[in-house]
Amino acid sequence: LVSRQRPPGNQVLVVAMCLFSVCVAACPSNVVADVIECASETEVQADAAINDADDWQKLFDHFQAFGKCDDGALAESYSYRVADLLATHWDGINEMNRLSKMSAPFRAFILRHVDSLMTPEQANAISKSVKTRCPPDAKSICADLALAVNDSM
């Protein structure tokens, strides 16, 4: 009997392919679909469009179109945009509250992007606004924002 050995590089490739197959099989189908769906959209398109998301409705629309690609540079852009809107455009809190009530995933998205990427000045502005300028019907989101700011520091 002659034993045929695979070159070491092929063994690594086979192991990697097996691990990938197990991971894909173990993932819920919606996660795999999101990754595949996101792969078809260009990062350039998402990055270019985020620059126009200068109010809550536009950010919501961007989230609807590209939120499944919330990773890497785009995630950092989302964090910047959320912090900026909360810190310098508090007058939009009613619109943000309405959209977050309409879409639980958008609410989670907002809270997830109140993170360590914001500046201390933004964190202080948001903290002050949620304590002193929160509309009565937005108390729930303001409480969650206060927790998110505290957790990010």
Side-chain angles (χ1 to χ4, degrees):
L1 268 175
V2 175
S3 174
R4 293 184 66 192
Q5 293 184 344
R6 290 184 177 158
N10 284 348
Q11 289 174 338
V12 171
L13 182 60
V14 169
V15 170
M17 289 173 52
C18 288
L19 288 173
F20 177 76
S21 297
V22 169
C23 289
V24 169
C27 285
S29 61
N30 63 328
V31 171
V32 174
D34 283 350
V35 170
I36 292 168
E37 191 172 343
C38 181
S40 69
E41 296 173 3
T42 66
E43 188 174 333
V44 173
Q45 184 182 13
D47 283 342
I50 190 66
N51 293 329
D52 296 329
D54 57 0
D55 65 33
W56 288 108
Q57 182 63 56
K58 291 176 186 172
L59 184 60
F60 178 78
D61 294 342
H62 193 283
F63 167 76
Q64 293 289 92
F66 301 107
K68 59 194 161 287
C69 300
D70 186 0
D71 192 24
L74 184 59
E76 290 180 16
S77 294
Y78 280 144
S79 293
Y80 168 80
R81 188 60 61 199
V82 167
D84 181 61
L85 286 171
L86 289 170
T88 63
H89 301 283
W90 188 259
D91 57 327
I93 188 67
N94 288 321
E95 182 72 358
M96 186 271 291
N97 187 44
R98 181 186 70 76
L99 293 166
S100 71
K101 285 180 177 180
M102 187 176 75
S103 170
F106 185 62
R107 180 186 179 108
F109 164 85
I110 293 167
L111 296 172
R112 181 172 62 251
H113 286 288
V114 175
D115 58 25
S116 62
L117 295 177
M118 72 181 143
T119 66
E121 294 79 16
Q122 288 172 321
N124 290 334
I126 296 166
S127 290
K128 183 178 178 183
S129 292
V130 297
K131 291 176 187 168
T132 63
R133 299 174 59 199
C134 187
D137 66 329
K139 293 294 183 189
S140 175
I141 191 70
C142 286
D144 289 343
L145 287 168
L147 289 173
V149 170
N150 287 336
D151 289 346
S152 73
M153 299 168 98

